[in-house]
Structure formats: C-alpha cells, structure tokens
Amino acid sequence: MRVSIIGVGKIGYAILKGLKSLNVEIIGTGRSEETLDKIKKEGVEATRDNEYAIKKSDIIILAVKPQHFHSILDKVSKTAWEGKKVVSVMAGIRISTLTRLTNAKVYRAMPNINAVIGKATTALAEERDEEVERIFRTIGNVYWIPEELFDAWTAIIGSGPAFVAEIIDAFALGAVACGMSRELAYQAILDMVEGTVYTLRKDKTHPVLLRDQVTTPAGTTIRGLMVMESEGIKSAIIKTIEAAYQRSMAIGKEIDKMY
Ligand SMILES: NC(=O)c1ccc[n+]([C@@H]2O[C@H](COP(=O)([O-])OP(=O)(O)OC[C@H]3O[C@@H](n4cnc5c(N)ncnc54)[C@H](OP(=O)(O)O)[C@@H]3O)[C@@H](O)[C@H]2O)c1
C-alpha cells in the first residue's frame, strides 16, 4: 500500500513519522526546499508534484491549510483522484464538498497538536474504515464520530491543549504567589495533573466524586472551591468552549464559500 501526504507541515510531518511504523510506502509533498529536505531526512520520497504523488498512491492524506487546497485542485487532473481514498485533515472543508471536487472516497480526520508526540486524540468521519483507522492510530487515539460533531471536536479537542496549558500556567502563577519557585511548581503541577487524569481513568471515577474525596469539612480545598465558584470558573470554561465552537462553525462557512 502507498500513502501520500499532501503538505508535510506540522500535522503532515507528525502523520509521516507515525506512518513509518507501518509497512507502507510513503510519499510526502511540500513547496519549499526546507519541507522537501525534512521529508527526505526521514528516508521518505519527497516531491513538489502533487499529481504524481496522488496518482501513485492508494490513500491520500490532505494536510495543507484549507485556503491552500485551491492550489492543489488547480494543478491535479480530476482523473488522478479516481478510485482513491482521500483523508482530509483540513479544518472546515466538508466531506460532501471534497467528494464533489475529487470524486474520490472521502474521509475526514481531526487530530490535535499532541500528534507530534504520538498522543493525538483524532476524530474520524464518517464510515468506519480499517485502513484509515490504522493510519491514525499511529499518532494516538482514534474516535469515529458523525461529521456534524467536527466543530465541537475542534473546539474541545483541537483547541483543548491550549486551554489546558493556560490553566496549568495559572496553577504555576498561584504557586509563585505562595512563594514556590516556578521551576519546582511547574514539574509538580504536571505530575499532579497526570496523576489526576490517571485516577479518573483508572476507576472511571466521576470528576465530582474525586472532588468530594479531596474536600474535607472546613479544610483547604473547600476554601479554594468557594473562590472558583464565586469567580465563575466552570461557567468561564463552558463559555470558552462554546466561543471556540461558534468560531469553528463561522470559519467552516467562510471556507464553504471558497469551494
Ligand atoms: N496544527 C494543528 O494542530 C492541526 C490540527 C488539526 C488539523 N489541522 C489541519 O491540518 C492542516 C495543516 O495544518 P498545519 O498546522 O500542519 O499547517 P502547516 O504547518 O502550515 O502545513 C501546511 C503544509 O502544506 C504545504 N503546502 C501548502 N501548499 C502546498 C502545495 N500546493 N503543495 C504541497 N504542499 C503544500 C506547506 O509546505 P511549505 O512549508 O513547503 O510551504 C506546509 O508544509 C490544516 O488544514 C489544519 O486545519 C491542523
């Protein structure tokens, strides 16, 4: 089986690295000399010729920015896509649009930046396909979801690492406020977050149950929780995700007009 990655940028490169663990031939494409060199250094065939890569492959992963997809469509003949499986990681372009433009069998994937370390959380739409799933398992966990949930996924799982990083930074600032060095605090906070996630996963504990286990009467945690409550932290996070979701839908509409 041969897989081509059209646009080996941040996400394309993470997928390329993952794919190397499978027994498949890979072709990577890019525009700049720098990108082509990066692909070659992985021992993978590199080319600027997208039509060549598409024609030679069984599965094509589209990993350019959505607004750059035009530049590929314009230079690739419609027949090149025939009989191929196309998996788009491009945000905002619908399966129906890509099917109309390519006539190929189209899937959508939405990984997140954790793909870079093989810890992505990837949504796939829509019809289950073992080969597609196998490819994305090389960069982390995979969930098959209906395409209409992609905007929600983008807001929660795509933007999520940034939101979590922001919360962790707030913890570190809190530690500094209490006289702890940032370096010590940061490492300890990461351990604490990791341990908390592990606990929640291991016993499938509901977050509220874990919170109540930590919250002793008249103790320290309840005092902190009272501040979280009065500052509206939960509501702020819900609104954060809702705002990202609305923006993802708006971008999708803008991109829709381009194609
Ligand atoms: N970054 C994320 O966390 C993330 C998560 C989920 C989905 N996505 C989606 O993944 C896609 C790529 O995002 P990214 O962050 O990886 O962007 P990126 O780093 O800018 O990568 C895009 C790549 O596309 C290449 N490219 C552009 N036009 C091309 C053409 N005509 N032929 C061949 N290659 C071309 C560029 O090559 P040159 O460098 O040589 O110009 C660049 O390496 C986007 O559609 C985005 O929505 C990204």
Side-chain angles (χ1 to χ4, degrees), residues 47-86:
T47 177
R48 281 197 181 91
D49 188 341
N50 292 309
E51 178 162 79
Y52 160 84
I54 291 166
K55 278 189 171 160
K56 266 194 111 178
S57 304
D58 309 290
I59 300 186
I60 294 121
I61 298 170
L62 298 174
V64 296
K65 297 264 186 217
Q67 62 272 26
H68 292 156
F69 184 51
H70 265 302
S71 67
I72 288 157
L73 272 180
D74 292 349
K75 293 216 174 108
V76 175
S77 61
K78 205 143 185 191
T79 52
W81 305 97
E82 268 169 23
K84 311 287 183 180
K85 279 184 193 170
V86 169

Side-chain angles (χ1 to χ4, degrees), residues 8-11 30-32 35 50 63-66 71 89-91 111:
V8 181
K10 282 187 285 297
I11 280 292
R31 290 177 302 191
S32 62
T35 298
N50 292 309
V64 296
K65 297 264 186 217
S71 67
V89 301
M90 298 182 294

Side-chain angles (χ1 to χ4, degrees), residues 78-119:
K78 205 143 185 191
T79 52
W81 305 97
E82 268 169 23
K84 311 287 183 180
K85 279 184 193 170
V86 169
V87 190
S88 165
V89 301
M90 298 182 294
I93 312 187
R94 285 179 224 273
I95 292 176
S96 57
T97 307
L98 287 165
T99 306
R100 169 169 56 78
L101 295 170
T102 65
N103 247 335
K105 175 73 196 145
V106 177
Y107 301 84
R108 265 181 88 179
M110 182 52 67
N112 62 6
I113 197 64
N114 298 336
V116 170
I117 55 149
K119 289 272 184 198

